Amino acid sequence: MDYVYVNEVIGSSEYGQICLGTHSLQDSIMLNLHASPEWRDKYLKPLVAGEVFPSFGMTEPAVAAPTRRSCRRAPCSTATTG
């Protein structure tokens, strides 16, 4: 559980994950555990080699165009799962 708190702090910085070299960790784990061999060759190998840079996008169904002002960070204790 300590990793959750550390990751929240690192993630609150625009450059934190890049500076600490953890920006591709979640993607690497996901691809390693769940991707087909073809996807591992195509995406995981270049990611681990540093040849590509991962990105993440998320949408919310009820929000057409979220702005920075409409986003807020919830404390870990109120985060929902599922």
Side-chain angles (χ1 to χ4, degrees), residues 26-80:
Q26 184 176 358
D27 300 310
S28 300
I29 292 170
M30 179 187 65
L31 287 168
N32 188 48
L33 292 176
H34 303 291
S36 67
E38 294 83 18
W39 275 52
R40 285 189 194 116
D41 287 341
K42 185 174 182 178
Y43 298 107
L44 182 58
K45 287 183 179 181
L47 182 64
V48 173
E51 298 167 0
V52 296
F53 196 84
S55 63
F56 176 79
M58 185 171 73
T59 61
E60 297 178 31
V63 180
T67 63
R68 184 113 173 119
R69 272 186 259 151
S70 67
C71 300
R72 65 182 175 87
R73 192 172 88 190
C76 287
S77 61
T78 62
T80 59

mmCIF file of all heavy atoms in Angstrom, residues 26-80:
data_model
loop_
_atom_site.group_PDB
_atom_site.id
_atom_site.type_symbol
_atom_site.label_atom_id
_atom_site.label_comp_id
_atom_site.label_asym_id
_atom_site.label_seq_id
_atom_site.Cartn_x
_atom_site.Cartn_y
_atom_site.Cartn_z
ATOM 1 N N GLN A 26 3.736 1.243 -15.247
ATOM 2 C CA GLN A 26 2.388 0.668 -15.305
ATOM 3 C C GLN A 26 2.106 0.057 -16.672
ATOM 4 O O GLN A 26 1.554 -1.036 -16.772
ATOM 5 C CB GLN A 26 1.347 1.724 -14.969
ATOM 6 C CG GLN A 26 -0.059 1.167 -14.927
ATOM 7 C CD GLN A 26 -1.074 2.192 -14.492
ATOM 8 O OE1 GLN A 26 -0.736 3.321 -14.175
ATOM 9 N NE2 GLN A 26 -2.332 1.813 -14.473
ATOM 10 N N ASP A 27 2.486 0.753 -17.726
ATOM 11 C CA ASP A 27 2.275 0.225 -19.075
ATOM 12 C C ASP A 27 3.069 -1.058 -19.294
ATOM 13 O O ASP A 27 2.571 -2.007 -19.902
ATOM 14 C CB ASP A 27 2.676 1.264 -20.125
ATOM 15 C CG ASP A 27 1.878 2.539 -20.001
ATOM 16 O OD1 ASP A 27 0.642 2.435 -19.934
ATOM 17 O OD2 ASP A 27 2.482 3.614 -19.953
ATOM 18 N N SER A 28 4.290 -1.083 -18.812
ATOM 19 C CA SER A 28 5.130 -2.275 -18.970
ATOM 20 C C SER A 28 4.538 -3.474 -18.250
ATOM 21 O O SER A 28 4.499 -4.577 -18.804
ATOM 22 C CB SER A 28 6.534 -2.013 -18.413
ATOM 23 O OG SER A 28 7.137 -0.949 -19.080
ATOM 24 N N ILE A 29 4.067 -3.260 -17.037
ATOM 25 C CA ILE A 29 3.468 -4.357 -16.269
ATOM 26 C C ILE A 29 2.216 -4.872 -16.973
ATOM 27 O O ILE A 29 2.009 -6.076 -17.116
ATOM 28 C CB ILE A 29 3.153 -3.904 -14.834
ATOM 29 C CG1 ILE A 29 4.450 -3.656 -14.069
ATOM 30 C CG2 ILE A 29 2.299 -4.940 -14.106
ATOM 31 C CD1 ILE A 29 4.264 -2.981 -12.728
ATOM 32 N N MET A 30 1.352 -3.948 -17.413
ATOM 33 C CA MET A 30 0.112 -4.325 -18.078
ATOM 34 C C MET A 30 0.393 -5.118 -19.355
ATOM 35 O O MET A 30 -0.216 -6.169 -19.596
ATOM 36 C CB MET A 30 -0.703 -3.080 -18.409
ATOM 37 C CG MET A 30 -1.999 -3.377 -19.130
ATOM 38 S SD MET A 30 -2.840 -1.905 -19.675
ATOM 39 C CE MET A 30 -1.696 -1.273 -20.874
ATOM 40 N N LEU A 31 1.306 -4.632 -20.172
ATOM 41 C CA LEU A 31 1.633 -5.330 -21.421
ATOM 42 C C LEU A 31 2.265 -6.692 -21.148
ATOM 43 O O LEU A 31 1.966 -7.672 -21.829
ATOM 44 C CB LEU A 31 2.558 -4.476 -22.281
ATOM 45 C CG LEU A 31 1.909 -3.278 -22.960
ATOM 46 C CD1 LEU A 31 2.971 -2.355 -23.524
ATOM 47 C CD2 LEU A 31 0.937 -3.717 -24.035
ATOM 48 N N ASN A 32 3.131 -6.766 -20.168
ATOM 49 C CA ASN A 32 3.790 -8.026 -19.849
ATOM 50 C C ASN A 32 2.789 -9.080 -19.371
ATOM 51 O O ASN A 32 2.881 -10.246 -19.747
ATOM 52 C CB ASN A 32 4.872 -7.809 -18.795
ATOM 53 C CG ASN A 32 5.698 -9.053 -18.576
ATOM 54 O OD1 ASN A 32 6.154 -9.680 -19.519
ATOM 55 N ND2 ASN A 32 5.888 -9.415 -17.329
ATOM 56 N N LEU A 33 1.824 -8.659 -18.566
ATOM 57 C CA LEU A 33 0.863 -9.619 -18.010
ATOM 58 C C LEU A 33 -0.279 -9.979 -18.957
ATOM 59 O O LEU A 33 -0.774 -11.101 -18.914
ATOM 60 C CB LEU A 33 0.271 -9.058 -16.706
ATOM 61 C CG LEU A 33 1.222 -8.933 -15.530
ATOM 62 C CD1 LEU A 33 0.521 -8.274 -14.360
ATOM 63 C CD2 LEU A 33 1.767 -10.290 -15.123
ATOM 64 N N HIS A 34 -0.707 -9.026 -19.783
ATOM 65 C CA HIS A 34 -1.958 -9.236 -20.500
ATOM 66 C C HIS A 34 -1.874 -9.177 -22.027
ATOM 67 O O HIS A 34 -2.858 -9.486 -22.691
ATOM 68 C CB HIS A 34 -3.001 -8.213 -20.028
ATOM 69 C CG HIS A 34 -3.238 -8.259 -18.552
ATOM 70 N ND1 HIS A 34 -3.867 -9.321 -17.933
ATOM 71 C CD2 HIS A 34 -2.910 -7.392 -17.569
ATOM 72 C CE1 HIS A 34 -3.927 -9.100 -16.632
ATOM 73 N NE2 HIS A 34 -3.355 -7.941 -16.380
ATOM 74 N N ALA A 35 -0.771 -8.778 -22.582
ATOM 75 C CA ALA A 35 -0.694 -8.629 -24.042
ATOM 76 C C ALA A 35 -0.353 -9.948 -24.726
ATOM 77 O O ALA A 35 0.286 -10.824 -24.143
ATOM 78 C CB ALA A 35 0.353 -7.580 -24.403
ATOM 79 N N SER A 36 -0.765 -10.036 -25.966
ATOM 80 C CA SER A 36 -0.399 -11.198 -26.779
ATOM 81 C C SER A 36 1.095 -11.094 -27.125
ATOM 82 O O SER A 36 1.686 -10.021 -27.022
ATOM 83 C CB SER A 36 -1.215 -11.208 -28.072
ATOM 84 O OG SER A 36 -0.844 -10.109 -28.889
ATOM 85 N N PRO A 37 1.714 -12.194 -27.541
ATOM 86 C CA PRO A 37 3.123 -12.130 -27.926
ATOM 87 C C PRO A 37 3.390 -11.093 -29.028
ATOM 88 O O PRO A 37 4.419 -10.423 -29.003
ATOM 89 C CB PRO A 37 3.419 -13.547 -28.413
ATOM 90 C CG PRO A 37 2.455 -14.411 -27.676
ATOM 91 C CD PRO A 37 1.206 -13.576 -27.544
ATOM 92 N N GLU A 38 2.453 -10.953 -29.945
ATOM 93 C CA GLU A 38 2.626 -9.964 -31.016
ATOM 94 C C GLU A 38 2.658 -8.544 -30.459
ATOM 95 O O GLU A 38 3.464 -7.725 -30.882
ATOM 96 C CB GLU A 38 1.497 -10.089 -32.055
ATOM 97 C CG GLU A 38 1.513 -11.392 -32.824
ATOM 98 C CD GLU A 38 0.836 -12.545 -32.074
ATOM 99 O OE1 GLU A 38 0.057 -12.291 -31.127
ATOM 100 O OE2 GLU A 38 1.099 -13.698 -32.433
ATOM 101 N N TRP A 39 1.762 -8.248 -29.511
ATOM 102 C CA TRP A 39 1.716 -6.904 -28.911
ATOM 103 C C TRP A 39 2.952 -6.655 -28.052
ATOM 104 O O TRP A 39 3.452 -5.541 -27.982
ATOM 105 C CB TRP A 39 0.443 -6.745 -28.099
ATOM 106 C CG TRP A 39 -0.724 -6.327 -28.928
ATOM 107 C CD1 TRP A 39 -1.172 -6.921 -30.066
ATOM 108 C CD2 TRP A 39 -1.562 -5.206 -28.696
ATOM 109 N NE1 TRP A 39 -2.255 -6.258 -30.550
ATOM 110 C CE2 TRP A 39 -2.523 -5.195 -29.715
ATOM 111 C CE3 TRP A 39 -1.614 -4.223 -27.721
ATOM 112 C CZ2 TRP A 39 -3.513 -4.233 -29.789
ATOM 113 C CZ3 TRP A 39 -2.608 -3.280 -27.796
ATOM 114 C CH2 TRP A 39 -3.540 -3.283 -28.828
ATOM 115 N N ARG A 40 3.432 -7.708 -27.377
ATOM 116 C CA ARG A 40 4.657 -7.541 -26.583
ATOM 117 C C ARG A 40 5.821 -7.149 -27.482
ATOM 118 O O ARG A 40 6.599 -6.261 -27.147
ATOM 119 C CB ARG A 40 4.971 -8.819 -25.822
ATOM 120 C CG ARG A 40 4.089 -9.041 -24.631
ATOM 121 C CD ARG A 40 4.590 -10.201 -23.782
ATOM 122 N NE ARG A 40 3.557 -10.576 -22.849
ATOM 123 C CZ ARG A 40 2.937 -11.749 -22.848
ATOM 124 N NH1 ARG A 40 3.273 -12.673 -23.721
ATOM 125 N NH2 ARG A 40 1.996 -11.996 -21.979
ATOM 126 N N ASP A 41 5.930 -7.811 -28.626
ATOM 127 C CA ASP A 41 7.007 -7.473 -29.566
ATOM 128 C C ASP A 41 6.848 -6.057 -30.114
ATOM 129 O O ASP A 41 7.817 -5.314 -30.232
ATOM 130 C CB ASP A 41 7.043 -8.463 -30.733
ATOM 131 C CG ASP A 41 7.581 -9.819 -30.332
ATOM 132 O OD1 ASP A 41 8.246 -9.905 -29.281
ATOM 133 O OD2 ASP A 41 7.325 -10.789 -31.064
ATOM 134 N N LYS A 42 5.618 -5.714 -30.438
ATOM 135 C CA LYS A 42 5.362 -4.423 -31.080
ATOM 136 C C LYS A 42 5.433 -3.238 -30.109
ATOM 137 O O LYS A 42 5.935 -2.173 -30.468
ATOM 138 C CB LYS A 42 3.987 -4.452 -31.745
ATOM 139 C CG LYS A 42 3.675 -3.210 -32.550
ATOM 140 C CD LYS A 42 2.371 -3.363 -33.300
ATOM 141 C CE LYS A 42 2.096 -2.133 -34.145
ATOM 142 N NZ LYS A 42 0.864 -2.265 -34.936
ATOM 143 N N TYR A 43 4.944 -3.421 -28.865
ATOM 144 C CA TYR A 43 4.837 -2.289 -27.948
ATOM 145 C C TYR A 43 5.729 -2.383 -26.710
ATOM 146 O O TYR A 43 6.301 -1.381 -26.280
ATOM 147 C CB TYR A 43 3.383 -2.111 -27.490
ATOM 148 C CG TYR A 43 2.453 -1.800 -28.628
ATOM 149 C CD1 TYR A 43 1.558 -2.745 -29.104
ATOM 150 C CD2 TYR A 43 2.484 -0.558 -29.250
ATOM 151 C CE1 TYR A 43 0.709 -2.461 -30.157
ATOM 152 C CE2 TYR A 43 1.648 -0.265 -30.311
ATOM 153 C CZ TYR A 43 0.754 -1.219 -30.751
ATOM 154 O OH TYR A 43 -0.077 -0.934 -31.794
ATOM 155 N N LEU A 44 5.835 -3.569 -26.110
ATOM 156 C CA LEU A 44 6.598 -3.685 -24.861
ATOM 157 C C LEU A 44 8.100 -3.522 -25.084
ATOM 158 O O LEU A 44 8.752 -2.786 -24.348
ATOM 159 C CB LEU A 44 6.300 -5.022 -24.179
ATOM 160 C CG LEU A 44 7.003 -5.260 -22.837
ATOM 161 C CD1 LEU A 44 6.648 -4.174 -21.837
ATOM 162 C CD2 LEU A 44 6.661 -6.631 -22.288
ATOM 163 N N LYS A 45 8.639 -4.180 -26.080
ATOM 164 C CA LYS A 45 10.085 -4.099 -26.309
ATOM 165 C C LYS A 45 10.551 -2.659 -26.562
ATOM 166 O O LYS A 45 11.509 -2.209 -25.939
ATOM 167 C CB LYS A 45 10.504 -5.032 -27.445
ATOM 168 C CG LYS A 45 10.477 -6.491 -27.029
ATOM 169 C CD LYS A 45 10.949 -7.404 -28.131
ATOM 170 C CE LYS A 45 10.921 -8.851 -27.673
ATOM 171 N NZ LYS A 45 11.390 -9.768 -28.700
ATOM 172 N N PRO A 46 9.886 -1.897 -27.444
ATOM 173 C CA PRO A 46 10.317 -0.507 -27.640
ATOM 174 C C PRO A 46 10.112 0.361 -26.400
ATOM 175 O O PRO A 46 10.894 1.263 -26.133
ATOM 176 C CB PRO A 46 9.450 -0.003 -28.794
ATOM 177 C CG PRO A 46 8.902 -1.209 -29.453
ATOM 178 C CD PRO A 46 8.862 -2.278 -28.421
ATOM 179 N N LEU A 47 9.069 0.063 -25.623
ATOM 180 C CA LEU A 47 8.804 0.824 -24.406
ATOM 181 C C LEU A 47 9.923 0.625 -23.390
ATOM 182 O O LEU A 47 10.468 1.586 -22.839
ATOM 183 C CB LEU A 47 7.463 0.404 -23.818
ATOM 184 C CG LEU A 47 6.995 1.130 -22.568
ATOM 185 C CD1 LEU A 47 6.751 2.604 -22.865
ATOM 186 C CD2 LEU A 47 5.724 0.480 -22.033
ATOM 187 N N VAL A 48 10.293 -0.625 -23.173
ATOM 188 C CA VAL A 48 11.360 -0.945 -22.218
ATOM 189 C C VAL A 48 12.708 -0.421 -22.712
ATOM 190 O O VAL A 48 13.535 0.042 -21.917
ATOM 191 C CB VAL A 48 11.410 -2.466 -21.955
ATOM 192 C CG1 VAL A 48 12.615 -2.836 -21.117
ATOM 193 C CG2 VAL A 48 10.122 -2.919 -21.271
ATOM 194 N N ALA A 49 12.913 -0.433 -24.015
ATOM 195 C CA ALA A 49 14.171 0.058 -24.589
ATOM 196 C C ALA A 49 14.259 1.585 -24.604
ATOM 197 O O ALA A 49 15.309 2.139 -24.906
ATOM 198 C CB ALA A 49 14.334 -0.482 -26.004
ATOM 199 N N GLY A 50 13.156 2.252 -24.276
ATOM 200 C CA GLY A 50 13.161 3.717 -24.275
ATOM 201 C C GLY A 50 13.018 4.328 -25.654
ATOM 202 O O GLY A 50 13.289 5.510 -25.838
ATOM 203 N N GLU A 51 12.594 3.535 -26.627
ATOM 204 C CA GLU A 51 12.444 4.036 -27.992
ATOM 205 C C GLU A 51 11.123 4.768 -28.199
ATOM 206 O O GLU A 51 10.996 5.546 -29.140
ATOM 207 C CB GLU A 51 12.547 2.865 -28.976
ATOM 208 C CG GLU A 51 13.890 2.164 -28.937
ATOM 209 C CD GLU A 51 13.884 0.841 -29.675
ATOM 210 O OE1 GLU A 51 12.837 0.455 -30.224
ATOM 211 O OE2 GLU A 51 14.936 0.183 -29.684
ATOM 212 N N VAL A 52 10.125 4.485 -27.364
ATOM 213 C CA VAL A 52 8.831 5.163 -27.426
ATOM 214 C C VAL A 52 8.506 5.703 -26.039
ATOM 215 O O VAL A 52 9.063 5.263 -25.029
ATOM 216 C CB VAL A 52 7.699 4.216 -27.904
ATOM 217 C CG1 VAL A 52 7.964 3.757 -29.323
ATOM 218 C CG2 VAL A 52 7.528 3.039 -26.981
ATOM 219 N N PHE A 53 7.609 6.670 -25.999
ATOM 220 C CA PHE A 53 7.212 7.295 -24.732
ATOM 221 C C PHE A 53 5.734 7.003 -24.502
ATOM 222 O O PHE A 53 4.917 7.265 -25.383
ATOM 223 C CB PHE A 53 7.454 8.806 -24.805
ATOM 224 C CG PHE A 53 7.435 9.471 -23.465
ATOM 225 C CD1 PHE A 53 8.575 9.482 -22.677
ATOM 226 C CD2 PHE A 53 6.284 10.075 -22.997
ATOM 227 C CE1 PHE A 53 8.571 10.094 -21.441
ATOM 228 C CE2 PHE A 53 6.276 10.689 -21.762
ATOM 229 C CZ PHE A 53 7.413 10.692 -20.983
ATOM 230 N N PRO A 54 5.372 6.451 -23.342
ATOM 231 C CA PRO A 54 3.975 6.100 -23.105
ATOM 232 C C PRO A 54 3.109 7.338 -22.878
ATOM 233 O O PRO A 54 3.587 8.386 -22.439
ATOM 234 C CB PRO A 54 4.028 5.246 -21.840
ATOM 235 C CG PRO A 54 5.212 5.767 -21.112
ATOM 236 C CD PRO A 54 6.197 6.152 -22.184
ATOM 237 N N SER A 55 1.828 7.192 -23.179
ATOM 238 C CA SER A 55 0.867 8.252 -22.873
ATOM 239 C C SER A 55 -0.398 7.607 -22.349
ATOM 240 O O SER A 55 -0.635 6.415 -22.547
ATOM 241 C CB SER A 55 0.579 9.096 -24.112
ATOM 242 O OG SER A 55 -0.017 8.303 -25.105
ATOM 243 N N PHE A 56 -1.210 8.400 -21.697
ATOM 244 C CA PHE A 56 -2.419 7.877 -21.082
ATOM 245 C C PHE A 56 -3.536 8.874 -21.310
ATOM 246 O O PHE A 56 -3.351 10.075 -21.134
ATOM 247 C CB PHE A 56 -2.189 7.678 -19.579
ATOM 248 C CG PHE A 56 -3.412 7.231 -18.831
ATOM 249 C CD1 PHE A 56 -3.814 5.914 -18.874
ATOM 250 C CD2 PHE A 56 -4.156 8.129 -18.088
ATOM 251 C CE1 PHE A 56 -4.939 5.496 -18.192
ATOM 252 C CE2 PHE A 56 -5.282 7.715 -17.403
ATOM 253 C CZ PHE A 56 -5.668 6.397 -17.450
ATOM 254 N N GLY A 57 -4.682 8.388 -21.707
ATOM 255 C CA GLY A 57 -5.846 9.246 -21.876
ATOM 256 C C GLY A 57 -7.036 8.640 -21.157
ATOM 257 O O GLY A 57 -7.183 7.431 -21.094
ATOM 258 N N MET A 58 -7.860 9.488 -20.573
ATOM 259 C CA MET A 58 -9.020 9.006 -19.858
ATOM 260 C C MET A 58 -10.180 9.948 -20.133
ATOM 261 O O MET A 58 -9.995 11.163 -20.188
ATOM 262 C CB MET A 58 -8.735 8.961 -18.356
ATOM 263 C CG MET A 58 -9.850 8.363 -17.553
ATOM 264 S SD MET A 58 -9.397 8.089 -15.826
ATOM 265 C CE MET A 58 -9.386 9.748 -15.200
ATOM 266 N N THR A 59 -11.348 9.401 -20.315
ATOM 267 C CA THR A 59 -12.523 10.218 -20.534
ATOM 268 C C THR A 59 -13.574 9.908 -19.479
ATOM 269 O O THR A 59 -13.547 8.847 -18.851
ATOM 270 C CB THR A 59 -13.134 9.967 -21.923
ATOM 271 O OG1 THR A 59 -13.533 8.604 -22.006
ATOM 272 C CG2 THR A 59 -12.141 10.284 -23.020
ATOM 273 N N GLU A 60 -14.479 10.824 -19.307
ATOM 274 C CA GLU A 60 -15.611 10.627 -18.406
ATOM 275 C C GLU A 60 -16.873 10.738 -19.244
ATOM 276 O O GLU A 60 -17.036 11.703 -19.985
ATOM 277 C CB GLU A 60 -15.593 11.676 -17.303
ATOM 278 C CG GLU A 60 -14.361 11.583 -16.428
ATOM 279 C CD GLU A 60 -14.333 12.656 -15.355
ATOM 280 O OE1 GLU A 60 -15.407 13.072 -14.904
ATOM 281 O OE2 GLU A 60 -13.239 13.069 -14.980
ATOM 282 N N PRO A 61 -17.791 9.778 -19.144
ATOM 283 C CA PRO A 61 -18.949 9.754 -20.029
ATOM 284 C C PRO A 61 -19.843 10.996 -19.941
ATOM 285 O O PRO A 61 -20.419 11.402 -20.938
ATOM 286 C CB PRO A 61 -19.723 8.514 -19.599
ATOM 287 C CG PRO A 61 -18.978 7.898 -18.496
ATOM 288 C CD PRO A 61 -17.752 8.678 -18.218
ATOM 289 N N ALA A 62 -19.962 11.611 -18.790
ATOM 290 C CA ALA A 62 -20.900 12.728 -18.638
ATOM 291 C C ALA A 62 -20.250 14.096 -18.865
ATOM 292 O O ALA A 62 -20.904 15.114 -18.713
ATOM 293 C CB ALA A 62 -21.525 12.686 -17.249
ATOM 294 N N VAL A 63 -18.981 14.115 -19.213
ATOM 295 C CA VAL A 63 -18.285 15.387 -19.369
ATOM 296 C C VAL A 63 -17.827 15.533 -20.814
ATOM 297 O O VAL A 63 -17.078 14.716 -21.323
ATOM 298 C CB VAL A 63 -17.062 15.459 -18.421
ATOM 299 C CG1 VAL A 63 -16.340 16.774 -18.589
ATOM 300 C CG2 VAL A 63 -17.500 15.256 -16.980
ATOM 301 N N ALA A 64 -18.278 16.601 -21.465
ATOM 302 C CA ALA A 64 -17.939 16.794 -22.871
ATOM 303 C C ALA A 64 -16.518 17.310 -23.051
ATOM 304 O O ALA A 64 -15.785 16.849 -23.901
ATOM 305 C CB ALA A 64 -18.924 17.756 -23.518
ATOM 306 N N ALA A 65 -16.126 18.288 -22.274
ATOM 307 C CA ALA A 65 -14.799 18.881 -22.418
ATOM 308 C C ALA A 65 -14.290 19.329 -21.056
ATOM 309 O O ALA A 65 -14.446 20.483 -20.672
ATOM 310 C CB ALA A 65 -14.844 20.061 -23.383
ATOM 311 N N PRO A 66 -13.687 18.421 -20.294
ATOM 312 C CA PRO A 66 -13.206 18.819 -18.977
ATOM 313 C C PRO A 66 -12.069 19.832 -19.070
ATOM 314 O O PRO A 66 -11.271 19.790 -19.996
ATOM 315 C CB PRO A 66 -12.716 17.510 -18.354
ATOM 316 C CG PRO A 66 -12.414 16.638 -19.512
ATOM 317 C CD PRO A 66 -13.366 17.052 -20.611
ATOM 318 N N THR A 67 -12.045 20.732 -18.150
ATOM 319 C CA THR A 67 -10.971 21.708 -18.073
ATOM 320 C C THR A 67 -10.172 21.458 -16.819
ATOM 321 O O THR A 67 -10.585 20.701 -15.944
ATOM 322 C CB THR A 67 -11.532 23.145 -18.023
ATOM 323 O OG1 THR A 67 -12.303 23.284 -16.827
ATOM 324 C CG2 THR A 67 -12.394 23.430 -19.242
ATOM 325 N N ARG A 68 -9.031 22.088 -16.731
ATOM 326 C CA ARG A 68 -8.190 21.919 -15.547
ATOM 327 C C ARG A 68 -8.954 22.324 -14.289
ATOM 328 O O ARG A 68 -8.794 21.747 -13.236
ATOM 329 C CB ARG A 68 -6.920 22.758 -15.705
ATOM 330 C CG ARG A 68 -5.951 22.576 -14.578
ATOM 331 C CD ARG A 68 -4.706 21.888 -15.093
ATOM 332 N NE ARG A 68 -3.706 21.857 -14.072
ATOM 333 C CZ ARG A 68 -3.208 20.726 -13.591
ATOM 334 N NH1 ARG A 68 -3.595 19.589 -14.057
ATOM 335 N NH2 ARG A 68 -2.292 20.741 -12.664
ATOM 336 N N ARG A 69 -9.813 23.343 -14.405
ATOM 337 C CA ARG A 69 -10.582 23.805 -13.254
ATOM 338 C C ARG A 69 -11.606 22.780 -12.784
ATOM 339 O O ARG A 69 -11.920 22.723 -11.617
ATOM 340 C CB ARG A 69 -11.321 25.102 -13.589
ATOM 341 C CG ARG A 69 -10.483 26.321 -13.315
ATOM 342 C CD ARG A 69 -11.315 27.549 -13.515
ATOM 343 N NE ARG A 69 -10.933 28.057 -14.833
ATOM 344 C CZ ARG A 69 -11.697 28.738 -15.625
ATOM 345 N NH1 ARG A 69 -12.916 29.024 -15.293
ATOM 346 N NH2 ARG A 69 -11.267 29.156 -16.778
ATOM 347 N N SER A 70 -12.116 21.961 -13.705
ATOM 348 C CA SER A 70 -13.154 21.003 -13.321
ATOM 349 C C SER A 70 -12.567 19.724 -12.719
ATOM 350 O O SER A 70 -13.303 18.908 -12.196
ATOM 351 C CB SER A 70 -14.039 20.661 -14.514
ATOM 352 O OG SER A 70 -13.296 19.951 -15.475
ATOM 353 N N CYS A 71 -11.260 19.543 -12.800
ATOM 354 C CA CYS A 71 -10.617 18.349 -12.265
ATOM 355 C C CYS A 71 -10.122 18.624 -10.853
ATOM 356 O O CYS A 71 -9.640 19.697 -10.553
ATOM 357 C CB CYS A 71 -9.435 17.940 -13.141
ATOM 358 S SG CYS A 71 -9.904 17.566 -14.826
ATOM 359 N N ARG A 72 -10.238 17.624 -10.010
ATOM 360 C CA ARG A 72 -9.705 17.773 -8.658
ATOM 361 C C ARG A 72 -9.132 16.438 -8.209
ATOM 362 O O ARG A 72 -9.555 15.389 -8.672
ATOM 363 C CB ARG A 72 -10.767 18.246 -7.685
ATOM 364 C CG ARG A 72 -11.895 17.278 -7.466
ATOM 365 C CD ARG A 72 -12.926 17.868 -6.502
ATOM 366 N NE ARG A 72 -14.057 16.982 -6.389
ATOM 367 C CZ ARG A 72 -14.141 15.970 -5.536
ATOM 368 N NH1 ARG A 72 -13.147 15.721 -4.707
ATOM 369 N NH2 ARG A 72 -15.186 15.196 -5.494
ATOM 370 N N ARG A 73 -8.189 16.518 -7.321
ATOM 371 C CA ARG A 73 -7.558 15.313 -6.805
ATOM 372 C C ARG A 73 -8.242 14.923 -5.498
ATOM 373 O O ARG A 73 -8.335 15.735 -4.591
ATOM 374 C CB ARG A 73 -6.077 15.554 -6.584
ATOM 375 C CG ARG A 73 -5.307 14.282 -6.338
ATOM 376 C CD ARG A 73 -3.853 14.559 -6.315
ATOM 377 N NE ARG A 73 -3.517 14.916 -4.944
ATOM 378 C CZ ARG A 73 -2.362 15.415 -4.575
ATOM 379 N NH1 ARG A 73 -1.452 15.652 -5.456
ATOM 380 N NH2 ARG A 73 -2.111 15.694 -3.323
ATOM 381 N N ALA A 74 -8.722 13.706 -5.423
ATOM 382 C CA ALA A 74 -9.378 13.223 -4.210
ATOM 383 C C ALA A 74 -8.348 12.620 -3.276
ATOM 384 O O ALA A 74 -7.381 12.015 -3.731
ATOM 385 C CB ALA A 74 -10.423 12.174 -4.573
ATOM 386 N N PRO A 75 -8.533 12.785 -1.971
ATOM 387 C CA PRO A 75 -7.623 12.133 -1.029
ATOM 388 C C PRO A 75 -7.689 10.621 -1.203
ATOM 389 O O PRO A 75 -8.726 10.075 -1.587
ATOM 390 C CB PRO A 75 -8.176 12.539 0.344
ATOM 391 C CG PRO A 75 -9.060 13.709 0.084
ATOM 392 C CD PRO A 75 -9.548 13.590 -1.326
ATOM 393 N N CYS A 76 -6.612 9.925 -0.924
ATOM 394 C CA CYS A 76 -6.572 8.476 -1.096
ATOM 395 C C CYS A 76 -7.668 7.784 -0.289
ATOM 396 O O CYS A 76 -8.206 6.786 -0.719
ATOM 397 C CB CYS A 76 -5.208 7.929 -0.664
ATOM 398 S SG CYS A 76 -3.905 8.309 -1.832
ATOM 399 N N SER A 77 -8.003 8.325 0.865
ATOM 400 C CA SER A 77 -8.987 7.666 1.711
ATOM 401 C C SER A 77 -10.388 7.708 1.121
ATOM 402 O O SER A 77 -11.247 6.924 1.519
ATOM 403 C CB SER A 77 -8.995 8.300 3.105
ATOM 404 O OG SER A 77 -9.347 9.670 2.999
ATOM 405 N N THR A 78 -10.657 8.601 0.167
ATOM 406 C CA THR A 78 -11.998 8.680 -0.407
ATOM 407 C C THR A 78 -12.058 8.086 -1.801
ATOM 408 O O THR A 78 -13.099 8.125 -2.439
ATOM 409 C CB THR A 78 -12.488 10.141 -0.480
ATOM 410 O OG1 THR A 78 -11.610 10.874 -1.338
ATOM 411 C CG2 THR A 78 -12.537 10.780 0.885
ATOM 412 N N ALA A 79 -10.953 7.539 -2.272
ATOM 413 C CA ALA A 79 -10.918 6.954 -3.620
ATOM 414 C C ALA A 79 -11.826 5.724 -3.659
ATOM 415 O O ALA A 79 -11.944 4.990 -2.690
ATOM 416 C CB ALA A 79 -9.506 6.566 -3.994
ATOM 417 N N THR A 80 -12.482 5.522 -4.781
ATOM 418 C CA THR A 80 -13.351 4.352 -4.936
ATOM 419 C C THR A 80 -12.664 3.316 -5.802
ATOM 420 O O THR A 80 -11.790 3.634 -6.601
ATOM 421 C CB THR A 80 -14.692 4.745 -5.588
ATOM 422 O OG1 THR A 80 -14.414 5.322 -6.860
ATOM 423 C CG2 THR A 80 -15.442 5.725 -4.716
#
